[in-house]
Amino acid sequence: MTELFPKDTVFTVSNLTSLIRDLLEGTFSNITLEGEISNYRPNASGHLYFTLKDEGAQISAVMFRGRAMSLDFVPKDGMKVKCTGSVSVYAPRGNYQIIISKMEIAGAGNILQILEERKRKLAQEGLFDSERKKPIPRFSKRIGVVTSPTGAALRDILQITKRRNPGVDVVILPALVQGEGAAITIANMIKTANDFDMCDVLIVGRGGGSLEDLLPFSEEVVVRAIASSHIPVVSAVGHEIDWALSDYAADMRAPTPSAAAELVVPKQSDILEGLEAYKQEFYHQISTKVERLKLMVKSFDVSNMEVRFRSIEQPLLNRLENARTALIEGMNQKVRDTKSIVEQSVRILEQASPQTILNRGYSMVRTQDGKVVRSEADVLSGAKIEITPASGKILATVD
């Protein structure tokens, strides 16, 4: 290797560090580095400090607040990540580090772990509860599709909708379905559909892809947008074996976008057949009722009307006559009972009459001042008394 400097060149520490910095920063200005997070130290100001390492080496790393705010996961020690950034030298300490501008999870194992943790968190908030699920309309006039406007998923949905029921309108809400910013566009499209009541049901999804490709449909912003939607949502992400957190928040999960279209768009022929069946059943029921009414009306001719009327009237007349007879008999019995009581009372009163007692031979004795004499102590010798027998009066002097 050709020497850059003469052998007898003497550097200061600052000169050497400056040369190294220029060399590193000029050579490694935009690189992607994969490693495991260690010694993770978030700063109160929002900057993230940590170490990236593998089996043989490590490097200091920093992600400043402005970039860190765009992360859709919380970094942790032991997490394997893929970082994009530039190598920088911190001259006062003679250390080199990587300044990260973008960071994402690397490796399916770590992604699944993050998704499971996010799933538990959102489930605890109740976003996946069955009570929140809304029924999917049976006959939708307009369906909304949140997906890539150029993807195969949209083409399949349009073809199936046209084949099954050309009368159903499709509103396309274009969104990124993978990569940076995809989750935000998906959530915004869901919100837009709700703000303007653009459809009766929403299909949110995309075609198949890797686990990393499907990650936007598992971001919190998308899950919360689906859970907040007043329009019923069908999640249709990837193939039947694929899954995303949107499947749990949606009102229904479809294994594929094509299956979602079949779920929300009923076949026009099935609808027409169903209507014809209802029509025939309705006609049959009306015909049966009309025939029954005809038979009932036929029985009400003039000759039968009087007989039917008499059959209704006669029992009522009998009841009335019986009631009248019972009422008269009851009243007569009451009069007889009352008369007997009065006669008995008269006899009792007559027997208790003073005149009746006198007629039996008794007399009443009074003094001159009219007081009734009840004992000999009531009069004195020589007193004048009046004796009243049953008839007349007798005046006497007490001896």
Side-chain angles (χ1 to χ4, degrees), residues 81-119:
V81 293
K82 185 186 295 184
C83 304
T84 300
S86 301
V87 174
S88 174
V89 175
Y90 185 57
R93 293 184 180 176
N95 296 334
Y96 77 100
Q97 62 184 0
I98 181 170
I99 300 176
I100 298 172
S101 59
K102 179 183 177 183
M103 181 166 61
E104 58 188 21
I105 299 171
N110 283 316
I111 293 176
L112 291 174
Q113 179 183 353
I114 296 301
L115 291 180
E116 284 299 327
E117 292 177 359
R118 186 179 298 163
K119 178 183 174 183

Side-chain angles (χ1 to χ4, degrees), residues 223-291:
V223 174
R224 295 186 185 280
I226 292 174
S228 300
S229 173
H230 70 261
I231 299 174
V233 176
V234 177
S235 176
V237 180
H239 301 300
E240 188 168 359
I241 60 172
D242 297 322
W243 64 275
L245 295 186
S246 61
D247 296 337
Y248 299 94
D251 302 293
M252 179 179 288
R253 176 190 180 266
T256 63
S258 298
E262 293 180 354
L263 285 170
V264 302
V265 182
K267 291 179 67 174
Q268 190 178 61
S269 58
D270 292 343
I271 296 174
L272 295 176
E273 289 176 5
L275 290 175
E276 181 63 25
Y278 281 124
K279 172 186 171 183
Q280 294 299 327
E281 177 64 20
F282 187 57
Y283 177 78
H284 173 71
Q285 291 185 9
I286 291 178
S287 299
T288 303
K289 289 185 177 181
V290 168
E291 291 302 321

Side-chain angles (χ1 to χ4, degrees), residues 304-340:
N304 288 335
M305 283 292 289
E306 183 175 359
V307 174
R308 293 176 63 87
F309 179 76
R310 294 301 181 190
S311 66
I312 297 172
E313 178 191 39
Q314 193 58 47
L316 297 177
L317 291 175
N318 292 338
R319 288 177 60 187
L320 178 61
E321 181 61 26
N322 292 338
R324 186 182 70 84
T325 302
L327 179 61
I328 293 174
E329 180 60 29
M331 292 176 65
N332 291 336
Q333 183 62 44
K334 188 67 175 177
V335 170
R336 289 193 294 269
D337 293 343
T338 303
K339 182 179 179 181
S340 176

Side-chain angles (χ1 to χ4, degrees), residues 67 70 101-102 104 176 178-183 185 216:
R67 297 289 187 175
S70 64
S101 59
K102 179 183 177 183
E104 58 188 21
L176 297 174
Q178 71 182 65
E180 186 176 0
T185 61

